[in-house]
């Protein structure tokens, strides 16, 4: 037991703190610079014309804050992560593809001063293209070495829905001040824990979990995203000074959801990312129900807007949703260690 704790401590202190602090301070400085530039060139949040007056107070808040997270995250990647591993290359490619999709959508909105950007079909097509590229690269390089025998095609389908949900769910959740950033940080923390434990052959054997040789890089990636998001939490908390925009939400959603696949923990996304899943399902149900019956289930989707239009205060909604995320996080940790106990 002492050897186990000693090994775990060595793993934890081995450049994780350094990468965390580096990404944290770089993100903080980048956000400060972007805030100055965005205000100077009036790169503000675009509000739909059919929204109620209460939403128009956000029209002078800068958007595309995901650029700051990208700069901090990517520069830190170049310093701390091994880019020569094919898993990491595919992961970063998937992240950048969705960053470009989000940036294009944000750019069109800001440039033309309207809320349209890419159409739903255009965005969905580009997202599908990125997802199919990711899955193809994983399969063609035989990287998913535990392919579940005859059930592999079911897992391919699972990957598709997990990635599409992950990309869009964070985007849907990013609608109230501070709502999305804490759940994102908690997901990063869960991925860090799983990656760290899976990265050591002795600890993974003791816990009865699968050893993944590239998991240490995934742990560092989780740390870098965690560190890049922490300063954004301060600036995005009520009253928000900046929003992620599609640039941040689509790319981070792509990164986090694909990491569950590379860690072979696909089903844990539903648990630790329960809030994101609920936000995504609320939008899908609203669209399907309206198409079938020409009626709405919710006053407005994503579901946090339903509660906002039901006269719940913005802060109250955010706090309640944070509590849901915290419960989901601790539940996922408990289930993960129960899985370890059963495997030993």
């Amino acid at each position: 037991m002492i050897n186990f704790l000693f090994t775990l401590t060595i793993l934890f202190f081995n450049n994780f703190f350094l990468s965390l602090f580096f990404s944290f301070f770089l993100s903080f400085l980048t956000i400060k610079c972007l805030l100055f530039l965005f205000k100077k060139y009036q790169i503000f949040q675009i509000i739909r014309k059919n929204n109620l007056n209460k939403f128009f107070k956000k029209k002078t808040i800068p958007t595309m804050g995901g650029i700051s997270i990208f700069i901090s995250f990517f520069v830190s990647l170049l310093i701390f992560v091994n880019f020569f591993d094919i898993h990491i290359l595919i992961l970063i490619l998937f992240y950048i593809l969705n960053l470009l999709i989000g940036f294009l959508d944000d750019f069109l909105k800001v440039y033309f001063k309207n809320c349209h950007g890419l159409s739903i079909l255009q965005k969905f097509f580009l997202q599908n293209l990125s997802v199919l590229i990711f899955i193809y690269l994983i399969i063609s390089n035989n990287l998913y070495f535990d392919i579940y025998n005859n059930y592999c095609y079911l897992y391919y389908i699972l990957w598709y829905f997990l990635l599409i949900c992950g990309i869009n769910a964070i985007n849907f959740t990013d609608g109230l001040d501070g709502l999305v950033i804490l759940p994102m940080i908690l997901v990063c923390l869960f991925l860090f824990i799983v990656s760290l434990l899976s990265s050591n052959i002795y600890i993974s054997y003791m816990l009865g979990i699968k050893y993944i040789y590239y998991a240490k890089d995934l742990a560092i990636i989780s740390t870098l995203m965690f560190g890049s998001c922490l300063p954004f939490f301060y600036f995005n908390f009520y009253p928000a000074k900046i929003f992620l925009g599609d640039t941040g939400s689509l790319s981070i959603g792509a990164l986090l959801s694909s990491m569950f696949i590379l860690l072979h923990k696909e089903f844990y996304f539903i648990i630790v990312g329960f809030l994101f899943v609920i936000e995504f399902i609320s939008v899908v149900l609203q669209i399907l129900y309206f198409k079938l019956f020409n009626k709405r289930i919710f006053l407005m989707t994503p579901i946090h807007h339903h509660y906002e239009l039901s006269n719940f205060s913005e802060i109250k909604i955010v706090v309640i949703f944070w509590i849901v995320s915290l419960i989901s996080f601790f539940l996922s940790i408990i289930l993960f260690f129960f899985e370890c106990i059963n495997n030993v």
Side-chain angles (χ1 to χ4, degrees), residues 84-259:
F84 295 102
D85 188 274
I86 187 64
H87 301 85
I88 306 305
L89 286 174
I90 294 173
L91 183 71
I92 301 307
L93 173 64
F94 187 54
Y95 168 75
I96 292 176
L97 285 175
N98 283 279
L99 178 105
L100 293 174
I101 296 170
F103 178 80
L104 178 59
D105 189 44
D106 283 335
F107 176 80
L108 292 174
K109 291 176 183 176
V110 172
Y111 185 79
F112 292 107
K113 302 296 182 183
N114 61 54
C115 61
H116 298 301
L118 293 172
S119 69
I120 294 175
L121 288 178
Q122 288 172 334
K123 192 184 293 186
F124 189 64
F125 170 78
L126 292 173
Q127 288 173 358
N128 272 271
L129 185 61
S130 71
V131 167
L132 293 175
I133 289 173
F134 176 85
I135 294 175
Y136 172 76
L137 290 174
I138 292 292
I139 296 172
S140 62
N141 287 281
N142 296 317
L143 299 182
Y144 205 83
F145 43 83
D146 186 8
I147 209 63
Y148 299 96
N149 300 322
N150 297 326
Y151 299 101
C152 60
Y153 293 106
L154 293 178
Y155 268 81
Y156 299 157
I157 297 172
L158 171 66
W159 295 350
Y160 170 80
F161 284 107
L162 186 154
L163 294 171
I164 288 295
C165 176
I167 292 170
N168 289 286
I170 290 182
N171 181 282
F172 293 156
T173 309
D174 186 28
L176 299 179
D177 295 1
L179 176 60
V180 71
I181 198 71
L182 180 64
M184 274 171 32
I185 289 172
L186 293 174
V187 172
C188 289
L189 185 57
F190 175 81
L191 289 169
F192 169 76
I193 293 170
V194 175
S195 302
L196 187 66
L197 296 177
S198 302
S199 65
N200 184 275
I201 191 168
Y202 301 108
I203 292 177
S204 59
Y205 175 77
M206 290 177 63
L207 293 177
I209 59 178
K210 191 174 189 63
Y211 166 67
I212 302 174
Y213 71 89
Y214 54 85
K216 184 177 180 181
D217 284 323
L218 296 181
I220 295 176
I221 288 174
S222 304
T223 304
L224 295 179
M225 184 54 71
F226 182 89
S228 298
C229 287
L230 277 178
F232 200 87
F233 179 78
Y234 170 76
F235 289 100
N236 187 241
F237 185 69
Y238 184 90
K241 299 176 181 65
I242 193 169
F243 289 127
L244 274 177
D246 285 10
T247 306
S249 58
L250 295 183
S251 57
I252 296 173
L255 180 80
L256 299 182
S257 57
S258 57
M259 286 182 67

Side-chain angles (χ1 to χ4, degrees), residues 55-75:
F55 296 109
F56 280 90
K57 62 183 179 181
K58 301 178 187 293
K59 67 180 180 179
T60 57
I61 299 175
T63 186
M64 298 174 70
I67 294 175
S68 65
I69 293 179
F70 166 71
I71 293 172
S72 168
F73 177 69
F74 195 76
V75 171

